Amino acid sequence: MKHLLSIEKLPPAGLEAILAAAPAMKRSRGEPGPRPLAGQTWALIFSKSSTRTRVSFEVGIRELGGQVIFLNAQDIQLGRGEPIRDTARVLGRMIHGAVIRTFQQSDVEDFARDSGRPTINALTDDEHPCQILSDLFTIQERLGSIQDRVVAFVGDGACNVCVSWIFAAARLGFELRIASPRAYQPPPALLERAAGRISVTTDCAAAAHGADVLYTDVWVSMGKEAEAAERLRQFEGYCIDPSLVRRARPGALVMHCLPAYRGKEIHAEVFEAHANTIFTQAENRLHVQKAILDWITASP
Ligand code: CP
Ligand code: NVA
């Protein structure tokens, strides 16, 4: 049984298969073709808000021939305290696979184990693997191979999106530079576990120098709202603005997983100048997640 629980745990063959299948998923959209999810019903179980992930999975599952049930975690008994392990054992007898957005990584892992169904992490506090797989595909489309490129992540270096970048770096042989305030840098033990070419600094300009990709994410991730005032204070200046873009390689990509907060992690002019890349990242969620579903449901 295959799962996508994190970039850290995604087997190398899975990473390769997903990135190899994504271009054809994009090219052949709308054409008659294989329907690997025909006869299947997948559940989307979301405890946090979503626009891109929810819509791209709902559309993708349907395009691959499957049916979808969207479950807001607050509307099912999970929201009233029914354990995830019991929810998994019930749904596992009814559905064919699950896509889960929640807080704790262990909930996705428990669901995968106890449901006995292919399970996909649609964002937890620890990782956002579907996002990073789409971003890797977008970089491949725009720059060719990511190997030996330099990606500079500016913002919350301990957030789910940055952690998935950290685990991708070692796997795909690119250099990752993280610019974050000290209190929001990734823990050293995690960097050691990832063992990639990764550096961490408080200096955005140094991280951006000659970079091929400038990447950012929100300063206040979902679930961190109580820390918003302190975060806004600490992250002041950790913004992709025109002067930071000038530090990067000419023609560098500026990327954002969205939703974006202009004037905070990204300057409005930079956002508009790079909107084509940013919204292609969003579109690519659909194509890459179809490749993920195809890989996960194929026999080993
Ligand atoms: N980037 C991303 O995951 O967007 P949503 O929160 O809208 O799904
Ligand atoms: N780090 C952000 C990503 C949103 C897609 C969050 O967790 O809210």
Side-chain angles (χ1 to χ4, degrees):
M1 168 96 26
K2 286 180 270 182
H3 305 289
L4 174 58
L5 302 177
S6 59
I7 297 291
E8 183 178 16
K9 290 192 175 155
L10 177 62
L15 180 62
E16 208 175 295
I18 292 162
L19 291 177
M25 284 294 179
K26 187 164 182 172
R27 266 196 316 273
S28 64
R29 184 171 184 219
E31 292 171 8
R35 295 286 178 266
L37 303 191
Q40 298 196 8
T41 299
W42 279 61
L44 265 55
I45 309 164
F46 279 41
S47 303
K48 293 176 176 173
S49 306
S50 172
T51 299
R52 282 144 287 269
T53 309
R54 175 179 177 175
V55 175
S56 52
F57 267 112
E58 290 208 26
V59 171
I61 289 167
R62 289 192 178 99
E63 289 187 1
L64 293 177
Q67 307 268 348
V68 193
I69 306 172
F70 181 81
L71 300 168
N72 178 331
Q74 285 313 310
D75 296 340
I76 58 176
Q77 298 290 6
L78 191 61
R80 299 181 65 245
E82 184 170 22
I84 189 81
R85 300 196 53 181
D86 294 353
T87 307
R89 285 185 284 181
V90 172
L91 294 188
R93 289 167 181 247
M94 300 175 186
I95 58 160
H96 299 88
V99 179
I100 302 180
R101 170 168 285 201
T102 189
F103 296 86
Q104 292 186 49
Q105 178 70 22
S106 60
D107 282 352
V108 179
E109 294 180 3
D110 289 351
F111 191 96
R113 190 191 55 237
D114 295 328
S115 67
R117 297 292 183 179
T119 300
I120 297 174
N121 175 355
L123 179 149
T124 62
D125 291 345
D126 288 15
E127 275 218 39
H128 195 359
C130 297
Q131 179 68 54
I132 270 48
L133 289 167
S134 304
D135 298 338
L136 291 168
F137 170 50
T138 307
I139 291 170
Q140 284 182 359
E141 280 187 318
R142 297 287 166 111
L143 303 180
S145 166
I146 193 173
Q147 195 170 3
D148 294 327
R149 297 283 187 176
V150 175
V151 177
F153 183 99
V154 176
D156 183 357
C159 82
N160 41 21
V161 168
C162 190
V163 170
S164 288
W165 271 113
I166 288 169
F167 285 109
R171 307 284 293 275
L172 292 164
F174 60 91
E175 181 186 342
L176 177 65
R177 301 180 192 154
I178 300 168
S180 306
R182 271 188 216 294
Y184 300 94
Q185 294 181 348
L190 188 138
L191 294 173
E192 228 166 87
R193 212 162 84 215
R197 261 192 296 156
I198 303 169
S199 54
V200 182
T201 175
T202 53
D203 184 343
C204 296
H209 183 75
D212 298 289
V213 177
L214 298 180
Y215 195 106
T216 192
D217 181 12
V218 295
W219 291 345
V220 184
S221 283
M222 292 180 280
K224 307 286 186 200
E225 291 78 7
E227 303 170 11
E230 175 63 8
R231 283 174 172 260
L232 296 191
R233 208 174 58 75
Q234 295 257 358
F235 283 106
E236 181 81 49
Y238 286 84
C239 173
I240 303 187
D241 61 14
S243 73
L244 201 68
V245 174
R246 284 194 292 273
R247 310 285 302 202
R249 180 180 63 72
L253 301 180
V254 173
M255 301 179 75
H256 194 309
C257 58
L258 299 176
Y261 293 86
R262 292 159 177 83
K264 295 198 167 57
E265 75 278 1
I266 192 161
H267 190 286
E269 272 172 32
V270 172
F271 184 91
E272 290 308 329
H274 293 269
N276 188 278
T277 305
I278 293 168
F279 290 107
T280 299
Q281 276 178 269
E283 177 197 328
N284 283 343
R285 299 291 306 275
L286 170 65
H287 311 302
V288 166
Q289 287 160 196
K290 285 170 73 181
I292 293 168
L293 289 160
D294 189 41
W295 165 74
I296 230 165
T297 51
S299 35

